[in-house]
Amino acid sequence: MTSNKTVMFPLFILMVLAGCGGSGGGSGSPGPPVVGPPVIGNNVLTITVNGSLCSDNPSYLNEPCVSVTICSPGSTNCQTIDDILLDTGSYGLRIFNQAVTVPLTQVTSGSGLLAECVQFGDGSSMWGPVQMANVILGNEPAVQIPIHVVDQGFGTPSTLCTSPNSRPDTSPFEANYNGILGVGPFAQDSGQYFSCSGAASGSPCTATTPNAKVINPVAALPVGGDNNGVIVQLPSVPADGAGSASGSLILGIGTQTNNTVPSGVTAYGVDQVAEFTTIFNSTQYASFIDTGSNGLFFPSPSATQLPSCPTPNTVWFCPPAANGFSASATNTGASGSPSGIVNFLIGNADNLFNTSNLVFGELGGKAVNIFDWGLPFFFGRSVFVGIDGTSSSLGTGPYWAY
């Protein structure tokens, strides 16, 4: 099964693919975990891909998880929540109400209570109130920001977040995680907001444009601190995969000794919807770099070179060549420069799924008219995400860099 999460923004669709592709349920034991070099600092969060931080709910292949601490506003009443999907393709913190044990403060909109609806490309959706929380990333200072609490029983959900227009995710078990930490290259999300007359189920809700939108927690860190972006560092993965992997999410770019920019890193500016351009198979595609996508997703160059797998894994590629499908693509910044070539390899997904591993650097699948550099792109790289309007030695955000 695959759950192709696609966050819908006004006039634009940003793909955030995540889900179960095969089960990693082959015979034998999973390979040993791969571990990246340790990074020390108050601005560091551990990432585990199908590791200990992903253990609260059913896991899917290539699931990157972090933990986040939330507190009642202005208090020391806090809880740390694991199994939070790390997502460079969205903005803000979303947590299922079932995972929240501390009281939060409801955000209002006019005389009503603010709620949000987010739709995904696999037909699922998230609905619930916007509430204030103190959010702590690593050992950074707490930031008081609006977050999205996913709760289908709040008010009357928008028709966009109900059947038949979507399939609501109502629990962590359904979604396979407790929440989403969106640390993409913008400060605010662009979801669809509503003002509800009450919190009780059935209370009327109408569309609204709020003053307080859900905020990227990194962008909310103190100015002059680590608020200009993040670095995702994950180790390389063996050709046949690994049982788990671990690395680091480092907050800030060039703000501390642990997040300096090495020589040879190139920044690729993005447009207002966080896209740059990828040329693959002589075709130009809108493109983005996304930890929330569990594979590389792009149009196949041909059914002979890169066919789909047999049912039930038809979303994935199963190249016939014994050593997989080797390819390259050219990424170009949204302004038309710079440009750089990326070489990549797509393995046979059925063969990968027949191992007992859960983490794969060669996993790829079908997309239409877009090129999604998902989690496999991050293995063996340091990937920089520069937030809009902030600066570093790589330039002024928004940008991706590697």
Side-chain angles (χ1 to χ4, degrees):
M1 179 184 75
T2 183
S3 173
N4 295 336
K5 296 288 189 186
T6 306
V7 178
M8 183 173 290
F9 294 93
L11 304 179
F12 179 68
I13 295 176
L14 177 62
M15 298 181 73
V16 185
L17 290 98
C20 310
S23 62
S27 60
S29 301
V34 291
V35 181
V39 182
I40 307 300
N42 290 332
N43 61 329
V44 180
L45 285 74
T46 297
I47 305 169
T48 68
V49 184
N50 301 93
S52 60
L53 296 179
C54 303
S55 61
D56 287 358
N57 300 286
S59 189
Y60 60 84
L61 303 177
N62 283 354
E63 179 186 9
C65 301
V66 296
S67 64
V68 174
T69 298
I70 62 170
C71 312
S72 298
S75 81
T76 57
N77 185 13
C78 304
Q79 68 170 128
T80 298
I81 305 175
D82 293 342
D83 208 351
I84 301 294
L85 175 68
L86 176 65
D87 185 17
T88 60
S90 68
Y91 318 98
L93 180 60
R94 309 179 194 280
I95 302 177
F96 282 93
N97 69 307
Q98 295 95 329
V100 177
T101 61
V102 297
L104 305 178
T105 303
Q106 175 64 45
V107 176
T108 59
S109 179
S111 60
L113 308 179
L114 188 62
E116 185 180 15
C117 169
V118 178
Q119 293 178 302
F120 299 93
D122 65 348
S124 68
S125 62
M126 288 181 172
W127 163 268
V130 177
Q131 298 182 341
M132 295 297 295
N134 279 15
V135 176
I136 301 174
L137 303 178
N139 289 311
E140 291 276 5
V143 292
Q144 186 167 303
I145 58 172
I147 70 171
H148 186 197
V149 178
V150 183
D151 180 0
Q152 197 71 13
F154 183 90
T156 299
S158 162
T159 57
L160 298 172
C161 278
T162 58
S163 180
N165 297 313
S166 66
R167 184 187 69 257
D169 277 336
T170 63
S171 72
F173 185 86
E174 289 179 345
N176 303 118
Y177 42 71
N178 286 326
I180 300 173
L181 176 62
V183 292
F186 288 94
Q188 292 184 334
D189 83 333
S190 301
Q192 300 162 93
Y193 292 90
F194 298 82
S195 179
C196 302
S197 63
S201 179
S203 299
C205 300
T206 57
T208 188
T209 302
N211 293 323
K213 294 184 176 182
V214 173
I215 299 293
N216 180 338
V218 178
L221 291 172
V223 174
D226 300 314
N227 71 327
N228 63 346
V230 302
I231 309 170
V232 178
Q233 291 184 348
L234 290 172
S236 299
V237 176
D240 59 350
S244 64
S246 62
S248 299
L249 173 67
I250 307 170
L251 310 180
I253 298 173
T255 59
Q256 300 195 39
T257 56
N258 66 3
N259 60 20
T260 57
V261 180
S263 61
V265 174
T266 300
Y268 297 84
V270 300
D271 61 18
Q272 70 274 13
V273 289
E275 290 183 340
F276 57 5
T277 298
T278 294
I279 298 176
F280 172 67
N281 195 36
S282 302
T283 303
Q284 179 173 302
Y285 298 102
S287 179
F288 52 92
I289 302 176
D290 179 24
T291 56
S293 301
N294 61 342
L296 304 180
F297 293 89
F298 54 92
S300 171
S302 77
T304 302
Q305 290 179 296
L306 202 52
S308 296
C309 297
T311 302
N313 292 318
T314 55
V315 71
W316 302 109
F317 290 134
C318 280
N323 57 349
F325 175 77
S326 296
S328 64
T330 299
N331 289 338
T332 303
S335 67
S337 65
S339 293
I341 295 174
V342 178
N343 298 310
F344 60 98
L345 178 66
I346 301 298
N348 184 299
D350 275 353
N351 292 343
L352 297 176
F353 299 159
N354 283 331
T355 72
S356 294
N357 290 321
L358 293 170
V359 181
F360 302 107
E362 301 168 2
L363 189 61
K366 295 187 299 184
V368 178
N369 295 327
I370 202 162
F371 202 112
D372 175 1
W373 296 100
L375 193 71
F377 178 84
F378 290 79
F379 292 127
R381 283 189 174 93
S382 292
V383 180
F384 299 72
V385 184
I387 294 176
D388 185 34
T390 67
S391 61
S392 73
S393 61
L394 290 169
T396 300
Y399 59 79
W400 311 106
Y402 53 88

